[in-house]
């Protein structure tokens, strides 16, 4: 199993550009999550999904959108990129039953200039 | 204010020394997860604690959750350079438990000098 995969690994965007961060998992997990990690700030939840067709906002959803058309994929869309969105983005997935251990992807390092 | 406090923020130890990292909250921790992150990589799950007083060990790493379920510690015995990285605690802090959304601490950066 590949686990949780994310593409791209690195990306530089100009202010106002848009992009999609890809995330896929092959563990048949129902739950998927998007986090951002800023230096010294831990992980903040952006969006999450409990199954195909179901998504909900996390702690810091502004400036982002998600979709979940399949169990495997959970892309994160950035519209009108801003410098404040410079961060490392992690996708994670977990089973739909307790204890909800989350498996993380390797991350995407995004810089907006 | 940060709901989940980790201490210390960073730690430098000599190889072979023992160390402890703490994760503290004013709220009840219904599930406590420890992760390790190497620079530029994703998080790797270490251990999960659920019951007050619970203790788990894997190789040279021991994690404990206090009886009140408000503090957890991660103890590394005879540290090695391979233990270096960022250690994060994540917790289910919603009453009633069984909540899949975790709150994370800011992490502890561990450096192990040979």
């Amino acid at each position: 199993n590949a686990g949780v995969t994310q593409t791209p690994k690195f990306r530089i965007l100009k202010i106002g550009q848009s992009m999609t961060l890809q995330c896929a998992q092959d563990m048949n997990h129902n739950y998927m999550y998007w986090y951002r990690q800023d230096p010294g700030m831990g992980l903040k939840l952006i969006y999450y999904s409990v199954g195909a067709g179901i998504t909900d906002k996390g702690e810091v959803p502004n400036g982002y959108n998600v979709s979940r058309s399949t169990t495997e994929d959970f892309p994160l869309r950035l519209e009108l990129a801003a410098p404040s969105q410079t961060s490392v983005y992690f996708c994670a997935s977990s089973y739909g039953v307790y204890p909800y251990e989350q498996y993380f992807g390797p991350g995407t390092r995004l810089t907006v200039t | 204010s940060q709901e989940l406090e980790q201490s210390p923020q960073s730690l430098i130890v000599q190889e072979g020394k023992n160390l402890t990292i703490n994760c503290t909250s004013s709220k009840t921790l219904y599930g406590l997860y420890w992760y390790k992150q190497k620079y530029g990589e994703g998080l790797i799950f270490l251990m999960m604690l659920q019951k007050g007083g619970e203790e788990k060990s894997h190789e040279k790493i021991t994690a404990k959750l206090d009886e009140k379920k408000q503090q957890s510690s991660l103890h590394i015995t005879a540290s090695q350079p391979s233990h270096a990285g960022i250690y994060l605690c994540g917790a289910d802090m919603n009453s009633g438990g069984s909540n899949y959304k975790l709150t994370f601490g800011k992490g502890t950066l561990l450096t192990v000098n040979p």
Side-chain angles (χ1 to χ4, degrees):
Chain A
N1 287 348
V4 180
T5 57
Q6 291 184 240
T7 56
K9 287 193 174 183
F10 303 94
R11 183 71 186 267
I12 299 175
L13 278 183
K14 294 189 183 300
I15 294 171
Q17 287 185 324
S18 300
M19 76 164 294
T20 299
L21 281 65
Q22 301 292 345
C23 173
Q25 52 90 11
D26 61 359
M27 298 174 280
N28 203 31
H29 285 169
N30 286 328
Y31 291 13
M32 296 187 74
Y33 317 79
W34 272 107
Y35 294 92
R36 60 177 288 171
Q37 184 180 40
D38 299 311
M41 295 302 293
L43 293 169
K44 300 291 185 184
L45 182 64
I46 305 172
Y47 269 96
Y48 66 97
S49 169
V50 300
I54 306 170
T55 62
D56 207 347
K57 296 177 181 179
E59 187 179 356
V60 290
N62 291 344
Y64 308 94
N65 274 301
V66 293
S67 59
R68 184 100 181 268
S69 56
T70 66
T71 299
E72 295 78 18
D73 300 299
F74 190 39
L76 178 72
R77 178 82 177 162
L78 278 73
E79 303 282 1
L80 299 175
S84 60
Q85 294 178 303
T86 294
S87 189
V88 181
Y89 291 85
F90 289 101
C91 178
S93 69
S94 69
Y95 289 107
V97 293
Y98 204 78
Y100 303 118
E101 169 193 331
Q102 295 185 18
Y103 296 80
F104 283 79
T108 294
R109 188 173 293 272
L110 175 68
T111 301
V112 182
T113 61
Chain B
S1 64
Q2 185 73 12
E3 289 191 330
L4 210 54
E5 295 281 351
Q6 276 189 246
S7 63
Q9 288 186 337
S10 63
L11 189 56
I12 301 173
V13 300
Q14 206 65 28
E15 183 176 359
K17 295 295 185 183
N18 302 336
L19 63 105
T20 299
I21 298 168
N22 294 301
C23 179
T24 304
S25 176
S26 58
K27 299 181 180 180
T28 301
L29 306 173
Y30 293 97
L32 192 288
Y33 302 74
W34 282 102
Y35 287 87
K36 179 186 176 184
Q37 181 182 23
K38 290 204 166 184
Y39 180 76
E41 299 180 14
L43 281 70
I44 298 171
F45 173 75
L46 296 175
M47 276 172 275
M48 183 259 182
L49 304 165
Q50 185 183 356
K51 301 175 182 176
E54 187 174 9
E55 180 175 320
K56 288 185 178 178
S57 294
H58 178 68
E59 297 181 342
K60 294 185 178 182
I61 301 177
T62 300
K64 300 178 184 179
L65 182 62
D66 73 340
E67 290 288 347
K68 290 177 61 178
K69 295 173 64 175
Q70 289 184 306
Q71 181 171 341
S72 178
S73 61
L74 187 80
H75 184 77
I76 299 177
T77 303
S79 59
Q80 301 169 350
S82 61
H83 288 128
I86 300 171
Y87 289 82
L88 292 100
C89 60
D92 166 11
M93 303 173 72
N94 294 277
S95 61
S98 297
N99 192 304
Y100 42 85
K101 289 189 289 183
L102 302 182
T103 298
F104 283 88
K106 293 184 178 181
T108 295
L109 175 61
L110 173 63
T111 302
V112 181
N113 290 327

